[in-house]
């Protein structure tokens, strides 16, 4: 069923994955831009750096809901499938736009979170780090906005609207070494993150897309799978195993 994809994965030497929100919908985490996306219910403005400065209390009223959702979520079969590919030596890096930390929970070790992570927070004045679970406790105890010992407002360690993405240079260096990229659960519309698959393709590498909806890179991709990632990725892993099990 996925012969070509399996063949490409096995014949490449530096495979990476580039993942987005579709990766975590199977874990019950809202897809921002999809039909039931979070931004249909909230204005994106609320997750901006500006909003945090102007109205930290409302920012945290919104953000604490997202964080609580995250702490209830767990890695789904698609996260576990990528972790298994890493252990098989068929995936060097996961570069993710997600801030939920579920790749690591699913067992992946080499993960670059270009939009940061909701699992951690820090003081916007003195940069003291905080566990987000600790910050949620402060809010539960009526301390909103949550404040650092220095008096500064604590913020999540994520890239807010209006802030530059993290580690994009490292991600693009890795992309320029890769000879295969799997773009999974991402609409590939967010700049500059979508430079990752473009870079691999422009350097002559292969692009495999697994996503529910069409993407702007479908026509240049080597393979496109339309489907639920938590179903497709474990199937690909099973096919890799049966291919590796064959006597050659
Ligand atoms: Zn501080």
């Amino acid at each position: 069923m996925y012969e070509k994809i399996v063949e490409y994965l096995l014949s490449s030497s530096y495979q990476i994955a580039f993942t987005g929100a579709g990766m975590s919908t199977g874990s019950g985490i809202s897809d921002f831009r999809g039909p039931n996306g979070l931004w249909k219910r909230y204005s994106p403005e609320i997750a901006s750096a500006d909003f945090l400065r102007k109205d930290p209390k409302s920012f945290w009223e919104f953000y604490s809901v997202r964080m609580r959702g995250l702490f209830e979520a767990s890695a789904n079969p698609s996260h576990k499938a990528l972790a298994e590919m890493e252990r098989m030596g068929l995936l060097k890096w996961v570069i993710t736009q997600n801030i939920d930390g579920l790749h690591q929970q699913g067992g992946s070790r080499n993960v670059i979170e270009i939009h940061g992570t909701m699992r951690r927070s820090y003081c916007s004045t003195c940069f003291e780090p905080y566990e987000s679970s600790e910050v949620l406790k402060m809010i539960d105890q009526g301390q909103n906005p949550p404040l650092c010992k220095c008096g500064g407002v604590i913020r999540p360690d994520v890239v807010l609207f209006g802030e530059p993405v993290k580690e994009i240079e490292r991600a693009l260096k890795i992309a320029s070494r890769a000879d295969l990229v799997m773009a999974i659960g991402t609409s590939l519309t967010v700049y500059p993150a979508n430079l990752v698959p473009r870079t691999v393709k422009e350097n002559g590498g292969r692009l495999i897309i697994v996503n529910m909806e069409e993407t702007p890179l479908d026509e240049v991709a080597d393979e496109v799978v339309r489907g639920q990632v938590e179903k497709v990725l474990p199937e690909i892993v099973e096919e890799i195993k049966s291919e590796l099990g064959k006597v050659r």
Side-chain angles (χ1 to χ4, degrees):
M1 196 175 172
Y2 303 109
E3 295 90 354
K4 278 279 165 209
I5 293 177
V6 172
E7 184 197 319
Y8 292 156
L9 281 164
L10 292 176
S11 62
S12 299
S13 58
Y14 201 107
Q15 310 89 334
I16 63 172
F18 177 68
T19 69
M23 195 79 205
S24 299
T25 45
S27 296
I29 291 177
S30 189
D31 178 352
F32 288 4
R33 290 172 184 79
N36 300 311
L38 208 52
W39 303 136
K40 297 283 187 290
R41 287 177 280 141
Y42 291 97
S43 154
E45 187 206 348
I46 202 163
S48 70
D50 253 2
F51 198 93
L52 172 66
R53 259 192 307 276
K54 282 185 217 143
D55 188 354
K57 187 172 191 290
S58 301
F59 173 92
W60 272 107
E61 274 169 10
F62 160 79
Y63 228 90
S64 59
V65 173
R66 285 191 67 188
M67 274 185 178
R68 283 181 219 282
L70 159 78
F71 284 110
E72 286 161 13
S74 47
N76 68 55
S78 66
H79 298 103
K80 290 173 187 165
L82 290 187
E84 191 161 5
M85 284 171 62
E86 184 184 54
R87 288 192 293 272
M88 294 165 102
L90 295 175
L91 196 59
K92 298 279 187 280
W93 288 95
V94 173
I95 299 169
T96 187
Q97 299 163 271
N98 298 340
I99 55 178
D100 52 38
L102 292 180
H103 280 296
Q104 293 92 329
Q105 199 192 96
S108 288
R109 281 169 303 167
N110 296 335
V111 182
I112 297 179
E113 297 169 302
I114 58 175
H115 291 164
T117 176
M118 275 202 284
R119 306 230 167 223
R120 289 190 306 267
S121 296
Y122 65 91
C123 169
S124 50
T125 303
C126 75
F127 300 97
E128 173 81 10
Y130 289 85
E131 288 294 325
S132 294
S133 52
E134 207 184 322
V135 180
L136 286 179
K137 266 183 215 149
M138 291 181 190
I139 294 170
D140 280 343
Q141 288 159 7
Q143 199 189 129
N144 187 13
L147 300 177
C148 176
K149 291 175 224 73
C150 82
V153 173
I154 297 172
R155 57 161 290 171
D157 192 1
V158 301
V159 173
L160 300 171
F161 286 99
E163 293 180 327
V165 298
K166 292 170 187 250
E167 298 200 87
I168 189 70
E169 281 179 27
R170 185 155 76 112
L172 291 178
K173 271 187 191 152
I174 286 168
S176 69
R177 287 198 56 186
D179 56 1
L180 181 146
V181 58
M182 292 184 84
I184 305 161
T186 167
S187 61
L188 296 174
T189 52
V190 182
Y191 179 88
N194 59 13
L195 287 176
V196 170
R198 280 185 196 280
T199 300
V200 177
K201 199 62 206 160
E202 278 160 17
N203 288 330
R206 289 201 163 104
L207 169 62
I208 297 164
I209 293 175
V210 183
N211 196 43
M212 284 296 273
E213 287 99 32
E214 282 181 32
T215 86
L217 294 189
D218 283 2
E219 51 187 54
V220 299
D222 297 271
E223 283 289 312
V224 178
V225 183
R226 267 297 88 77
Q228 282 181 301
V229 300
E230 63 270 27
K231 203 171 145 282
V232 174
L233 294 185
E235 286 172 357
I236 291 174
V237 168
E238 283 314 306
E239 276 201 39
I240 293 170
K241 283 182 185 165
S242 82
E243 185 61 31
L244 290 174
K246 281 181 195 162
V247 182
R248 293 174 185 240

